[in-house]
Amino acid sequence: MATFEAERGRLWGIAYRITGTVSDADDAVQEAWLRWQALPLDPPVDSPRGFLTTVVSRICYDLLGSARARRERYVGPWLPEPLVDGTGADQLPGSAYGDAPEDRVTLDESVGMALLTVLERLTPAERTAFILHDVFAVPFPDVAEAVGRTPDAVRQLASRARRRVRAEAPRRTVDRAEHRRTVEAFLSAVIGGDLDALLAVLDPEVVWRSDGGGRVSAARRPVLGREKVARYALGLVARGAERGPVRVALQQVNGATGLVFADAAGRQAGVFAFTVHDGRITEVDAVVNPEKLGHVDLDRALTPGQE
């Protein structure tokens, strides 16, 4: 048990990045625990970390493959389940590789909503190879065992994934203070109904994605461009105000400042993640599907002092 618990956080971090869902990550880690328990004590496993990494990665690879068809039938954009600090999102361990070369994705970036959305466009094998090798520094022979390919094949998979991530991942600031100031300016403009201030904080080519999953009202296609996004955001606030009081709070969402909101009646809630570059918001990922928020303790997230 002690050996497994020492690896649990790392295993969960791998599982979440491969699957994009908290529930699948939880299930994968639980299944890995059951398989670990079932192992005979003699002979001992030479490398518990390597064994458990391979097991949980294989489980997630299989889960991701079976989920592809369901996600293609999903109503509207499919976004990963958000992680909100202090409400069940505390299982994100530090990098496995220490001082990473510049061409690798940092651990913070690898859990960001924008990059996870890019990873959705990869094949299950490419995504698994990229996460294992580029983020967690798993050797190619071990990655090959997880996805059932040869080491040379997974090397090519990781290379293709890396090129696509570099080409499609949005530019983003690494300055946390700048990111926070930008999100605060967005919130102030939206609450104040200040269209000019809102336009000033949005990039001309900003993209707004809403994940309602057909369960609640949400845009079924991305909203594109500063004018449309600004008016869409103000419209959401106006309609929400008609239904009654709404609580909103700044929170750390997938490693960066985001927003959490819920109406007083508990009928609708959401988590917003932002991508910021040069002091302007370039992407907004709004998860409002209640099925994707069950793991988030909204009362805690919306309590002052919990940020």
Side-chain angles (χ1 to χ4, degrees):
M1 181 177 292
T3 300
F4 186 88
E5 289 302 319
E7 297 295 330
R8 181 184 290 274
R10 181 175 181 274
L11 297 175
W12 197 93
I14 290 172
Y16 174 75
R17 287 167 175 83
I18 294 177
T19 65
T21 70
V22 172
S23 55
D24 282 343
D26 288 344
D27 290 346
V29 172
Q30 179 62 22
E31 177 62 24
W33 161 243
L34 294 175
R35 296 187 189 184
W36 177 253
Q37 276 191 312
L39 288 176
L41 295 177
D42 190 28
V45 176
D46 289 337
S47 173
R49 166 169 284 197
F51 173 84
L52 290 169
T53 297
T54 298
V55 168
V56 81
S57 300
R58 183 70 201 186
I59 293 169
C60 292
Y61 174 63
D62 292 341
L63 286 171
L64 190 58
S66 63
R68 296 278 287 191
R70 295 195 303 274
R71 294 181 186 181
E72 288 173 358
R73 298 191 301 269
Y74 196 77
V75 178
W78 189 97
L79 294 176
E81 293 181 1
L83 301 180
V84 180
D85 279 7
T87 65
D90 304 317
Q91 304 181 77
L92 297 174
S95 168
Y97 49 77
D99 295 329
E102 292 182 358
D103 63 344
R104 284 190 171 168
V105 179
T106 68
L107 205 73
D108 279 350
E109 289 173 331
S110 74
V111 79
M113 189 73 75
L115 183 57
L116 288 174
T117 302
V118 173
L119 296 183
E120 282 295 310
R121 303 166 198 160
L122 306 179
T123 67
E126 288 171 342
R127 181 170 183 163
T128 303
F130 176 78
I131 292 299
L132 290 179
H133 183 264
D134 281 50
V135 179
F136 287 91
V138 176
F140 282 124
D142 293 347
V143 179
E145 188 174 350
V147 300
R149 309 285 180 93
T150 66
D152 284 343
V154 295
R155 189 185 301 274
Q156 294 176 12
L157 287 170
S159 178
R160 286 203 302 269
R162 191 179 307 120
R163 288 196 299 271
R164 188 160 186 182
V165 166
R166 285 174 177 166
E168 299 184 21
R171 294 172 298 170
R172 60 187 288 273
T173 182
V174 296
D175 186 332
R176 289 179 177 271
E178 178 189 339
H179 181 106
R180 181 186 176 90
R181 285 194 301 270
T182 306
V183 175
E184 287 176 336
F186 169 88
L187 179 59
S188 176
V190 167
I191 291 178
D194 189 335
L195 177 61
D196 290 338
L198 186 53
L199 291 172
V201 80
L202 295 175
D203 185 84
E205 298 180 358
V206 61
V207 178
W208 179 301
R209 291 181 288 261
S210 300
D211 182 342
R215 305 290 180 179
V216 297
S217 177
R220 296 194 175 187
R221 293 183 179 179
V223 181
L224 308 176
R226 178 162 52 194
E227 289 279 351
K228 290 182 179 180
V229 167
R231 297 189 184 281
Y232 180 76
L234 292 177
L236 287 179
V237 172
R239 290 192 294 274
E242 292 175 356
R243 293 193 296 266
V246 175
R247 293 186 296 164
V248 62
L250 292 168
Q251 274 292 353
Q252 292 296 301
V253 177
N254 285 65
T257 300
L259 297 174
V260 179
F261 81 90
D263 63 23
R267 289 190 298 267
Q268 187 157 3
V271 175
F272 289 17
F274 298 85
T275 303
V276 173
H277 179 68
D278 284 345
R280 289 181 174 175
I281 293 169
T282 59
E283 296 190 8
V284 182
D285 292 305
V287 181
V288 293
N289 183 349
E291 294 185 350
K292 291 189 173 183
L293 300 175
H295 63 284
V296 178
D297 186 339
L298 291 170
D299 285 336
R300 179 180 176 85
L302 292 166
T303 300
Q306 291 299 322
E307 184 188 0

